[in-house]
């Protein structure tokens, strides 16, 4: 049986008086693309931030590979893509990738190889020399996705990764996610788009901070 790579168990999270997560539980296994589907404001982003160790759970537990989060060492094993692009606008696309790659310990030929790989996946190879301040919104999303793939993480946590990306490239990105899952990587994605939800191997539906259904896309339909 595949190991559970990402687990949330009865997780609650409040911001002041606002109860954002209300006892959610799910597990993402190695080799699985697990989707969180729901409308904006339902708690998807908070859930994945707890999973990635960016937020602490107010109650309950989040683990990565059996280690309780937040855990700085385990965060090195995660490729995280946020909804908002965390990029250095005054640097080029290549410089953004090179800087982040160095933080993950990549250097020399290995760094160049991973930059080329990540840029090719998101079709940015020809634009890496441009400053990010001159990128379109879609290009910034593609560069953000490239940064999450750069260090070959065992676990990918992607918050609406293909918003603003054209349909042909979106399909190419999903093809790569399937390939990575086939290699045993665990992938957690959020979406509010039904055709993307159907691409997941397993899916949970969120509403008002709660999971209201879980199963394969076909079973939920």
């Amino acid at each position: 049986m595949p190991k559970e790579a990402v687990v949330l168990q009865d997780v609650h999270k409040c911001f002041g008086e606002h109860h954002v997560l209300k006892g959610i539980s799910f597990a993402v296994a190695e080799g699985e693309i697990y989707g969180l589907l729901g409308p904006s404001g339902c708690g998807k982003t908070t859930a994945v931030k707890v999973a990635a160790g960016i937020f602490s759970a107010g109650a309950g537990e989040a683990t990565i590979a059996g280690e309780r989060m937040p855990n700085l060492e385990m965060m090195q094993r995660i490729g995280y893509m946020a909804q908002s692009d965390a990029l250095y606008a005054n640097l080029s696309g290549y410089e953004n990738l090179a800087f982040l790659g160095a933080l993950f310990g990549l250097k020399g030929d290995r760094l160049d190889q991973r930059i080329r790989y990540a840029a090719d996946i998101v079709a940015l190879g020809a634009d890496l020399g441009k400053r990010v301040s001159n990128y379109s919104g879609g290009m910034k999303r593609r560069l953000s996705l490239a940064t999450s793939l750069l260090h070959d993480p065992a676990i990918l946590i992607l918050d609406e990764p293909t918003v603003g990306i054209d349909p042909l490239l979106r399909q190419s990105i999903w093809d790569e996610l399937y390939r990575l899952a086939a290699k045993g990587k665990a992938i957690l994605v959020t979406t509010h788009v039904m055709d993307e939800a159907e691409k997941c191997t397993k899916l949970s539906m969120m509403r008002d901070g709660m999971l209201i259904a879980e199963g394969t896309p076909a079973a939920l339909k």
Side-chain angles (χ1 to χ4, degrees):
M1 291 287 291
K3 294 180 181 177
E4 292 180 340
V6 181
V7 178
L8 267 64
Q9 184 63 44
D10 195 25
V11 167
H12 292 255
K13 183 67 178 178
C14 297
F15 295 98
E17 298 297 314
H18 187 29
H19 199 169
V20 179
L21 299 180
K22 304 170 184 176
I24 68 169
S25 300
F26 64 82
V28 186
E30 294 174 350
E32 185 171 69
I33 302 176
Y34 190 105
L36 290 178
L37 171 68
S40 296
C42 72
K44 301 188 305 293
T45 292
T46 300
V48 296
K49 284 186 173 181
V50 171
I54 296 167
F55 291 159
S56 298
E61 184 176 75
T63 61
I64 294 286
E67 298 291 331
R68 187 164 186 165
M69 301 297 285
N71 180 315
L72 187 58
E73 183 178 340
M74 296 308 297
M75 289 173 78
Q76 302 292 312
R77 300 184 59 187
I78 298 169
Y80 175 72
M81 180 183 178
Q83 253 187 30
S84 54
D85 301 310
L87 303 168
Y88 295 97
N90 60 327
L91 299 180
S92 68
Y94 182 90
E95 288 167 337
N96 270 271
L97 292 172
F99 174 70
L100 289 169
L103 292 180
F104 283 110
L106 299 174
K107 54 187 176 182
D109 291 343
R110 177 62 174 165
L111 176 59
D112 288 338
Q113 177 190 24
R114 293 302 302 175
I115 288 175
R116 286 196 302 272
Y117 159 79
D120 286 347
I121 292 301
V122 298
L124 273 181
D127 298 297
L128 284 183
K130 297 179 181 177
R131 278 194 178 189
V132 170
S133 58
N134 295 322
Y135 278 18
S136 67
M139 290 169 72
K140 289 176 182 177
R141 289 305 288 160
R142 285 150 56 193
L143 184 60
S144 292
L145 179 56
T147 65
S148 71
L149 298 168
L150 185 63
H151 58 296
D152 196 21
I155 296 163
L156 284 169
I157 297 178
L158 310 174
D159 197 358
E160 297 188 359
T162 59
V163 168
I165 295 176
D166 69 78
L168 282 177
L169 182 55
R170 185 184 306 166
Q171 184 57 54
S172 176
I173 288 168
W174 272 94
D175 289 344
E176 181 63 12
L177 293 181
Y178 285 133
R179 192 186 72 81
L180 293 171
K183 292 174 63 178
K185 296 185 186 296
I187 303 173
L188 172 62
V189 301
T190 71
T191 186
H192 56 253
V193 182
M194 292 302 295
D195 68 328
E196 290 217 325
E198 287 190 280
K199 292 179 168 66
C200 299
T201 51
K202 195 171 182 181
L203 193 64
S204 277
M205 298 177 67
M206 286 194 73
R207 177 79 62 172
D208 297 326
M210 296 178 287
L211 297 185
I212 59 174
E214 183 184 58
T216 65
L220 291 183
K221 285 198 293 183

